[in-house]
Amino acid sequence: MSQEIPAPDQDATVIDLADYLGVPSGPAPVVSFVKDEPVEEEPTVLVVQDQDEPPVKSQPQPVLPEVFTDPEARRHQLAVVRHSLVRHGVRSPVYAGRALGVVGLGARAAVRDSWSYVTAGEYGELIRQVRESGAGAEHIADLRAERAQKAGARRRESATVWSATGVATYAASVLALGQAWSLALVFPALLPVMATLYALGRREIRGRLAEGETFALTDLPADSQAEERPLLGADTINGAFHDAGLLKGDQQVSLVGPVRAVQMDAAEARIRLPRTLTAEKVLGEKAKLASALGVHVTWLDIAETAEPGVLSLWVAASDPLATSALSPLLEDPESVVIDVWRKGIPFGRNRRGEVVHMPFRHVNGLIGGTTRSGKGMALRSIIPGLGLDPRVRIRLVVGAKPGEHRAYAPVTSTFFGKRPVRLLDLLDAMIEEADRREAVLEDEGRAKFNEKDLERFPLEVLIVDEFPQYTMSKERIPDPTDEEGRRTLKVGEEIEHRLSKLAAYCTALNMDIVLLAQDPDAATVPRGFRNNTGSRTAFRTNSATQTNAILKDGSTGAGLRAHDIKVSQPGVAIVDLDGAEGELIRTFNVPDDRDEDEADPIAPVIAEGVARRSAAGCLAGQYEDRIEQSLLAWTGQTSAAGGPTGSGRPGSPEDAETGPVGILADMLAVFAAVGQPERMRTSNLLQGLAARDSATWSPEALGVDSADSEDPADLAAYVRTGGTELRRQINEALDGTGRSLAPKGWSAGGRANGYYLAEIRAAAGIDPV
């Protein structure tokens, strides 16, 4: 580094340069005195430079200020102009009313002054004063006679005559113009006289104002000024810092570069703090600073920069988390690139509009919140995103309503629900796999696996939804240490022990655990697991206790108050992730409010995940799965990809081989292709069957006109003919089984007929979940 200080006087006593310059002792710095020619603009300087540092070159100053060369700075300046135009445009009726008031005042003043002039009005005040003084009537009569004489003379003056003639002519011309042409021309014709009257009115107002008072046509009322939030600028920021008590006296913060317009209807400024003010103090007084800026505390974001003493101040003009954004997974699943190892899963966006990723590299996760706060929507981003990376093995365990997760089954390696004992077995199988991987690390003399090891040891991600349903289970199993078989163990407690044990060392082995809980507390989340969790997400909670249970002890005291999140904003959460500690975000939206017979928007993402995994040989059944092999050996049932039926119900492998065939299997495949809706219209079902077997189910094969024509009669004919053939094949497939299946009607914005998924499964001999 180099410093420039004034050179000591030539005749000064020689002193120790290290002490003089305040540099530490050690290798002697290179010290050179540079004496320029005596030019006033360039004084003599002393240059001190470390030996190992290259010479410092002065940077040329830019010709144009940054505000003209920085696109974001120009955007901000345009935003200021637009803000001013919109603000004054909205208030233009108020301004017009004020202007007309000034014109009216000018007209009254003009009439008053003109009348006073032609009637010699100044004599009226003189006569009043004489009367009050008690003078004789003769004196008053003389003044009245003099006034009449003066007024008569003024009325005969050329200026008076010409003025009256001009006003009369102007008024007549305006009236004639409106009568002969159009009343629309009257207003432009009146502009000169209105401008004159406005000037007279302003002069009258100035004469009436007290000393120090001013009048401006565009001044805002006091209440409007209080509600107005000026755009970010040096004066605004310094005023807010003073109002918040962060600055005193003549202290100031300075802008580092221009203010920039950024995403989410906001502006960002980099500010340099005075030496007496620390970043920690500013962050601690964030609420006061937001109040001083006239915004909600969630509309303000303050972040430290790499430069000491410089903060990034980001202020939004509206709630940046008021609306959710669609998940980027839905845009074009075939072109979406997911790198779970390096970036994680796109999870949501923060207040600044930046994408926040949930990490899965060497980290366990905890997600919690109240019902309907956004946990289920979070899974609709996490699981399909993981499914797009073939290097990930997804183990999905559901504590309640496994049917809601059936659409994820094709990309899972394990999927089941409502089976505490099987979860215990799964944890034992994962511990076995973890021990095997740990032995490999020990043999290779390494501390943890890295990305190059994913081919040998894929990333295992265990997701347990509603895990308190398992840890609070009252089921009991025999104690394996009791040879007499009298003692039993609580399954819930054993699950807690396994989770804590596995979480303590699994992340270094490319194995992660993610738990989701509703209304958790300190007793709900196993402490051993929580202490080894590096990824935490708190949706809306009911209390500070629940917030601390999800995040970490003392979080509410640090301002992380998930229990203050609004009920009207599902999906808003506080995340404590790598690189996003204590950040407020809103998770991406993956719509699921479709009608029962519509395709699930996430189905194309799952289909793309299946295609990628199939090409990589990573679908369930395509590779050696030691964990599922252990489960099969211990229980005799498989839960790979949701079990034999893909519904989350484990079963024997033979069940998959003897599953439904023929038309019933084709119908189930059509339902599965669109995300397993509850029901489907016959017309949509026929189109799905035609996509699978056009030789049998296309309109041409059925002898009717194309159902894609604009004539509704063609679609009706296709549904009628195809529906008849469909019922015939169903009856033929069920003949002799004692089961039946018939279409049913329902009301969905009109009458609709079709088939229910549960009834097809029952007819195929598959028990509903």
Side-chain angles (χ1 to χ4, degrees), residues 90 213 502:
V90 171
E213 294 183 348
L502 189 58

Side-chain angles (χ1 to χ4, degrees), residues 727-760:
R727 288 193 297 274
R728 186 192 68 77
Q729 291 198 22
I730 290 174
N731 293 334
E732 181 178 326
L734 297 177
D735 186 26
T737 64
R739 298 188 293 269
S740 63
L741 176 64
K744 288 187 176 181
W746 63 83
S747 177
R751 193 65 180 169
N753 290 320
Y755 292 84
Y756 282 79
L757 176 59
E759 295 184 355
I760 299 175

Side-chain angles (χ1 to χ4, degrees), residues 4 110 134 141 144 156 198 204 253 276 380 384 414 466 473 518 545 568 576 588 734 761:
E4 293 189 359
R144 287 177 174 172
R156 292 189 296 272
Y198 180 82
E204 184 74 12
V253 298
T276 56
R380 287 176 65 80
T414 299
E466 301 293 354
S473 172
Q518 180 175 311
T545 301
S568 59
D576 186 356
F588 286 123
L734 297 177
R761 292 172 59 81

